[in-house]
């Protein structure tokens, strides 16, 4: 992520903000890994609101704690947890990021910064807001004091370009399907989709496979499986039985909004932590991507579909979703800097 996403964006983001500031007073809302925005705050004095899409962006030593794919047991002492973060900083994160940032700071006339890049510096000193509610991830005592909590934004993509006719016809031909979505950033999702097809055949269920790259979809499919590149989740998921996905925070939120069970297959980033929180809510289960096949996926999905407790929990959590209030909260935080 550092080489492919974060580092190449630092200078362009800074320059874009610098150019925008010439036209008048502005405030910036940015991810904590948009380091160009953080540099612009320090160099140009531009107000910055850090927006956190997932709880893993806010480092903590409190439960529940995940570091990458590892779930830290609740019995581990606080000092040991702190030492784990310090070791990660010392041996990986700081050597990776600090030289680039120090060089840019020098070019901008900024002095060396104190604190760890991913531990404290990346958080705006002005304000921060989570794009998830407190019942999904409760505030930790060691979060930055300026961080407030809102709710899921529930972004739905380019809904205007969506033609629902073929999908609607499929939905009307039988019972609600299970939706399989490997995620827009998935690299070669053929293993996920192959396991999905095998699981559906084993369980005898209808399904919708969503994948941007049709070459990754198995060539020969039964009529009970419909494939498509895109469909807005806000339209499709309320008409579906469950969602099987990569564990991204946006997909988790859309399934919660629809009130349907989930099965997650996390591979990286925030997905492992999101999976843990989905399981704690009782609305779904996670399964390892390592060795994923039709048998293992069918076993987990079958358990979720047959568990009335999971379905009941999903309907209960649905009543707690309040995207309008969450949107208004974000607007309130940003508008303080008008």
């Amino acid at each position: 992520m550092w080489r492919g996403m974060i580092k190449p964006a630092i200078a362009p983001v800074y320059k874009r903000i610098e150019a925008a500031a010439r036209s008048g007073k502005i405030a910036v809302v940015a991810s904590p890994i948009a380091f160009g925005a953080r540099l612009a705050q320090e160099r140009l004095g531009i107000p910055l609101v850090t927006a956190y899409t997932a709880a893993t962006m806010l480092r903590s030593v409190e439960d529940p704690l995940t570091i990458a794919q590892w779930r830290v047991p609740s019995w581990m002492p606080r000092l040991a947890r702190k030492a784990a973060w310090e070791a990660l900083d010392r041996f990986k994160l700081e050597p990776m990021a600090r030289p680039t940032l120090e060089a840019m700071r020098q070019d901008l006339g900024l002095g060396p910064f104190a604190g760890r890049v991913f531990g404290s510096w990346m958080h705006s000193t002005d304000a921060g807001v989570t794009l998830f509610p407190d019942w999904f991830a409760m505030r930790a005592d060691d979060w930055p004091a300026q961080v407030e909590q809102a709710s899921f934004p529930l972004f739905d993509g380019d809904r205007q370009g969506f033609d629902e006719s073929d999908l609607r016809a499929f939905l009307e031909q039988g019972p609600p399907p299970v939706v399989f979505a490997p995620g827009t950033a998935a690299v070669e999702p053929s293993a996920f989709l192959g396991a999905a097809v095998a699981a559906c055949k084993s369980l005898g269920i209808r399904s919708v496979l969503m994948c941007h790259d049709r070459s990754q979809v198995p060539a020969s499919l039964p009529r009970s499986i419909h494939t498509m590149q895109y469909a807005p989740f806000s339209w499709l998921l309320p008409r579906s039985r469950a969602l099987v996905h990569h564990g991204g925070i946006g997909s988790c939120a859309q399934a919660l909004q629809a009130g349907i069970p989930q099965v997650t297959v996390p591979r990286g980033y925030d997905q492992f932590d999101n999976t843990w929180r989905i399981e704690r809510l009782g609305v779904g289960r996670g399964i390892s991507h390592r060795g994923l096949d039709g048998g293992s996926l069918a076993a987990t999905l079958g358990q979720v579909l047959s568990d009335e407790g999971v379905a009941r929990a999903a309907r209960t959590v649905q009543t707690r979703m309040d995207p309008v209030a969450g949107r208004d909260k974000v607007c309130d935080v940003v508008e303080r800097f008008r």
Side-chain angles (χ1 to χ4, degrees):
M1 178 183 282
W2 170 255
R3 290 191 299 269
M5 182 185 303
I6 301 177
K7 182 179 178 180
I10 298 175
V13 167
Y14 178 89
K15 292 176 181 178
R16 182 67 65 86
I17 294 173
E18 184 181 41
R22 297 192 190 107
S23 63
K25 183 179 179 181
I26 66 169
V28 175
V29 180
S31 164
I33 59 174
F35 291 157
R38 185 71 175 92
L39 290 171
Q41 179 192 33
E42 290 189 313
R43 179 65 180 84
L44 306 174
I46 295 173
L48 172 65
V49 177
T50 303
Y52 305 90
T53 56
T56 51
M57 291 180 164
L58 287 151
R59 181 179 294 188
S60 176
V61 297
E62 296 185 11
D63 282 327
L65 175 58
T66 58
I67 301 178
Q69 69 267 34
W70 295 285
R71 297 184 179 184
V72 178
S74 59
W75 51 260
M76 180 173 285
R78 189 181 184 94
L79 287 176
R81 297 171 179 223
K82 185 177 180 180
W85 283 121
E86 290 177 349
L88 183 62
D89 278 330
R90 180 180 178 183
F91 296 108
K92 181 176 182 180
L93 298 181
E94 289 293 304
M96 176 185 70
R98 185 173 285 267
T100 297
L101 290 169
E102 290 284 22
M104 293 191 68
R105 292 176 67 84
Q106 185 174 3
D107 292 342
L108 295 171
L110 295 169
F113 57 84
R116 304 294 174 86
V117 174
F118 291 90
S120 58
W121 178 81
M122 72 177 189
H123 305 292
S124 169
T125 55
D126 292 326
V129 63
T130 71
L131 303 184
F132 52 84
D134 56 3
W135 53 261
F136 183 79
M138 183 67 69
R139 178 186 180 87
D141 290 340
D142 52 355
W143 283 5
Q146 67 272 22
V147 174
E148 303 176 57
Q149 291 196 259
S151 189
F152 300 115
L154 296 175
F155 177 71
D156 227 2
D158 184 13
R159 187 165 182 170
Q160 290 185 340
F162 169 60
D163 182 1
E164 67 181 53
S165 55
D166 288 346
L167 180 55
R168 182 181 289 276
F170 172 77
L171 294 175
E172 292 174 349
Q173 292 171 4
V178 172
V179 176
F180 293 84
T184 55
V187 178
E188 297 184 352
S190 56
F192 175 95
L193 296 170
V197 171
C200 291
K201 291 179 179 178
S202 174
L203 296 172
I205 58 176
R206 285 161 38 91
S207 66
V208 172
L209 305 185
M210 293 181 60
C211 184
H212 289 276
D213 184 357
R214 290 188 179 274
S215 68
Q216 298 292 315
V217 179
S220 179
L221 296 174
R223 296 180 62 184
S224 59
I225 299 178
H226 183 79
T227 64
M228 60 190 317
Q229 291 179 303
Y230 168 78
F233 276 170
S234 64
W235 187 92
L236 174 59
L237 294 190
R239 297 170 168 83
S240 304
R241 189 176 178 188
L243 174 65
V244 182
H245 62 102
H246 59 306
I249 192 70
S251 298
C252 290
Q254 291 283 3
L256 294 173
Q257 176 71 12
I260 60 174
Q262 309 180 42
V263 172
T264 63
V265 188
R267 296 185 64 92
Y269 311 123
D270 60 317
Q271 297 163 14
F272 297 102
D273 185 72
N274 297 335
T275 293
W276 194 355
R277 296 178 189 279
I278 289 298
E279 291 177 341
R280 285 166 64 92
L281 287 170
V283 300
R285 296 178 186 171
I287 180 174
S288 175
H289 72 277
R290 301 184 186 280
L292 181 71
D293 58 21
S296 60
L297 184 55
T300 301
L301 179 58
Q303 291 172 359
V304 168
L305 293 177
S306 62
D307 191 335
E308 177 54 34
V310 174
R312 184 167 54 251
R315 293 191 297 268
T316 299
V317 171
Q318 181 185 31
T319 65
R320 307 179 73 176
M321 296 289 288
D322 194 350
V324 174
R327 177 203 63 195
D328 292 346
K329 176 65 175 181
V330 173
C331 291
D332 289 343
V333 172
V334 176
E335 287 175 354
R336 295 172 192 165
F337 301 98
R338 288 189 300 177

